Amino acid sequence: MNRQDLLHNITITAGILAIAIIGSAFFFITTNNANNASLIYVLAIVLISRYTYGYHPGIIASIIGVIAVNYFFTYPYGELNFTMTGYPITFIGMLAIALITSAATTHMKEQAEILAEREKLLTDAEKEKMRANLLRAVSHDLRTPLTAIIGSSSSYLDNRDQLSSQEKDQLVAHIYEDANWLLHMVENLLTVTRIHADNAASLNKSVEPVEEVVAEAVSRFRKRYPDSPVQVRTPEEFYMIPMDPTLIEQVILNLLENAVLHAHSQKPTNLTVTLEDGWIQFQVMDYGKGIPTERLSTIFDGNPYGTQESADSKRGMGIGLSICKTIIHVHGGRITAGNHKNGAVFTFLLPME
């Protein structure tokens, strides 16, 4: 125990004992009854054990309390007398109660501290795992479009005179598409950086209408993918829930974009919002090839490709889904992935309060 903790123990112990003595004296003077003095000292010992470090303050306070009750509130007053008939048993009983209370309170506090430390270690381990997964996802999701941009621009510069106008337009269109993808990845990285820096307690939460948040996310999606239809169904009732609207829009946008890039479906993507037992449920359903069964348990871990896929495959699902999981978890919600008979379905829930 360092000097600061020792000073803390002395201050807390002395302060609470002084209050106990004054309180007991007040009740004794006003009621002429000393029966409550023992209870006041036991309460003081519990408080001392709760707000000090280690066992010693509680044990010392127990002994001081027993002596104080004998000296101030046991006849003959102002004298120590442990020889009266029956008092040794009373003395031993009160001291035992005080010591057991002190030890139990201190033990419970130590167990709480151990549990808190263990939880902190688990949280740090989870963050480290997420950081490693994000690094893997970043190395894949950023390298692929960068390679494509370099290849397209090199072809344009090296073969400018031999390329037709249509071929030049195609190369520029590819560069534009991949640059937009990079911009989206940077947005995702900034989002997850903000979450890790601020933590859930610092989210910019406000009570927002669900329909407006969905409409804004779908509007951003349609600007990026004008040729990819999406059907939206929201409740007829007007629901407002606490959320960071920018982050939830990012989740919806990521899931819709994921459906377009990986489902390879000719049907529209469905975005459905419903109320489920005090939760608002958001469901993005596509009609494509679905998710491989072996990927379902790890799809939100940030790994951009499965064991059967090439590390250089076009635009993995890693970083976007990992960020979706992070955002939903800091909102106190849940997110899952699964398959239905005609494709994949992603579902996340946000608490109403």
Side-chain angles (χ1 to χ4, degrees), residues 86-111:
Y87 192 78
I89 297 177
T90 303
F91 171 80
I92 294 172
M94 182 180 172
L95 181 61
I97 292 172
L99 291 176
I100 292 171
T101 303
S102 173
T105 306
T106 304
H107 180 71
M108 289 173 60
K109 186 174 66 174
E110 289 180 349
Q111 290 299 312

Side-chain angles (χ1 to χ4, degrees), residues 94-140:
M94 182 180 172
L95 181 61
I97 292 172
L99 291 176
I100 292 171
T101 303
S102 173
T105 306
T106 304
H107 180 71
M108 289 173 60
K109 186 174 66 174
E110 289 180 349
Q111 290 299 312
E113 291 173 352
I114 291 172
L115 289 175
E117 182 64 24
R118 187 176 300 171
E119 183 176 348
K120 181 177 181 297
L121 290 174
L122 289 174
T123 302
D124 291 342
E126 182 66 22
K127 286 183 178 180
E128 190 60 34
K129 179 182 177 182
M130 184 177 296
R131 188 177 295 110
N133 289 335
L134 285 174
L135 285 174
R136 286 199 302 270
V138 167
S139 66
H140 175 271

Side-chain angles (χ1 to χ4, degrees), residues 2-73:
N2 56 39
R3 183 176 180 181
Q4 183 177 359
D5 290 343
L6 179 61
L7 181 61
H8 171 86
N9 284 352
I10 293 173
T11 303
I12 294 296
T13 303
I16 294 178
L17 282 177
I19 293 173
I21 292 173
I22 295 172
S24 300
F26 174 78
F27 282 113
F28 180 71
I29 293 171
T30 56
T31 64
N32 198 27
N33 188 340
N35 293 332
N36 293 327
S38 299
L39 296 178
I40 293 175
Y41 278 102
V42 170
L43 176 61
I45 290 164
V46 172
L47 293 175
I48 289 169
S49 300
R50 170 63 181 84
Y51 293 106
T52 56
Y53 306 110
Y55 288 88
H56 296 95
I59 293 173
I60 294 172
S62 301
I63 297 172
I64 293 175
V66 170
I67 294 174
V69 169
N70 183 274
Y71 185 82
F72 291 111
F73 308 110

Side-chain angles (χ1 to χ4, degrees), residues 126-181:
E126 182 66 22
K127 286 183 178 180
E128 190 60 34
K129 179 182 177 182
M130 184 177 296
R131 188 177 295 110
N133 289 335
L134 285 174
L135 285 174
R136 286 199 302 270
V138 167
S139 66
H140 175 271
D141 285 352
L142 296 187
R143 180 180 60 191
T144 301
L146 278 173
T147 302
I149 289 173
I150 293 172
S152 297
S153 58
S154 176
S155 297
Y156 187 95
L157 293 173
D158 294 342
N159 304 290
R160 182 176 356 190
D161 298 332
Q162 289 79 30
L163 295 173
S164 65
S165 297
Q166 183 179 0
E167 291 171 331
K168 291 179 180 179
D169 290 343
Q170 288 178 347
L171 288 174
V172 173
H174 291 158
I175 293 173
Y176 176 78
E177 178 187 352
D178 287 318
N180 270 331
W181 175 260

Side-chain angles (χ1 to χ4, degrees), residues 233-267:
R233 291 194 295 272
T234 57
E236 294 182 0
E237 296 84 357
F238 187 76
Y239 292 117
M240 297 187 67
I241 61 173
M243 68 171 85
D244 185 320
T246 303
L247 295 183
I248 298 303
E249 287 171 18
Q250 188 75 31
V251 172
I252 297 172
L253 181 61
N254 282 359
L255 295 179
L256 290 174
E257 189 173 63
N258 181 77
V260 169
L261 295 177
H262 300 285
H264 305 296
S265 171
Q266 301 301 317
K267 296 182 179 180

